[in-house]
Amino acid sequence: ANAQHPGDQAERRASELAAQAMGLEIEYFEVAGARLLDPALEAIAKSRCEAAVMFPIQSIISNSARIAAWSLRHRLPAVSGWAQFAEEGNLMSYGARARESFGRLASHVDRVLKGAKPGELPIELPRHIELVINLRAAKALGVLVPPAVLLRADRVIE
């Protein structure tokens, strides 16, 4: 993740609370921009991590295919929040629909350009959350995706 990203700290706290509730440990690796991705991936590979949750930030999503190749090379499943992450070869994604989110963002920008004060615009939650599972990646990683999870998926890439 990138600690400079506005939502990173809240997402990190939520991840830590969820992991704690499940008895899991988290290691945090900083990726403050695409040029620092390779050192972070190498640090993750050297750690004893069993999986990687990549926060859905630009430097991660724009390098999804590269991360998928790294994931397969190190046999370390990787997940993130935008569907593009799974579409480009990673195990899965779970998050808001990007096109819908960007459409809402455009609506907010339009309102600001027409004079609305940004601080007075309502905070909106995503209307749809989607789970995308890449079965090709699962097979290559040796991950068995339970049938119940496949049934809940919005899309399955075979």
Side-chain angles (χ1 to χ4, degrees):
N2 180 351
Q4 303 307 310
H5 187 271
D8 185 80
Q9 294 307 314
E11 192 161 350
R12 182 177 178 182
R13 278 191 304 279
S15 298
E16 288 169 344
L17 288 172
Q20 183 180 30
M22 293 185 286
L24 300 173
E25 292 182 33
I26 288 182
E27 283 189 66
Y28 181 84
F29 297 89
E30 177 82 20
V31 181
R35 64 179 168 50
L36 299 176
L37 180 60
D38 286 332
L41 292 176
E42 287 311 310
I44 295 167
K46 289 178 184 175
S47 75
R48 295 206 254 150
C49 292
E50 295 177 23
V53 176
M54 308 280 186
F55 287 7
I57 55 177
Q58 194 278 330
S59 58
I60 296 297
I61 300 305
S62 64
N63 287 287
S64 295
R66 203 165 109 210
I67 293 169
W70 167 86
S71 171
L72 291 175
R73 190 169 52 256
H74 293 283
R75 299 196 50 82
L76 190 73
V79 302
S80 192
W82 295 110
Q84 178 183 345
F85 197 74
E87 292 166 353
E88 295 205 12
N90 289 285
L91 179 61
M92 69 177 62
S93 63
Y94 183 71
R97 293 180 181 164
R99 177 168 280 168
E100 184 178 294
S101 294
F102 292 138
R104 297 304 312 146
L105 177 61
S107 171
H108 271 58
V109 169
D110 180 59
R111 289 156 74 185
V112 169
L113 291 175
K114 290 178 178 173
K117 294 181 180 174
E120 294 176 3
L121 293 176
I123 295 173
E124 294 183 22
L125 295 174
R127 292 187 179 143
H128 299 98
I129 303 294
E130 66 179 340
L131 172 61
V132 180
I133 300 172
N134 187 322
L135 283 181
R136 286 182 298 209
K139 183 178 180 182
L141 290 164
V143 172
L144 178 63
V145 180
V149 174
L150 290 173
L151 287 172
R152 289 179 175 245
D154 296 282
R155 279 192 293 145
V156 176
I157 300 168
E158 298 189 58

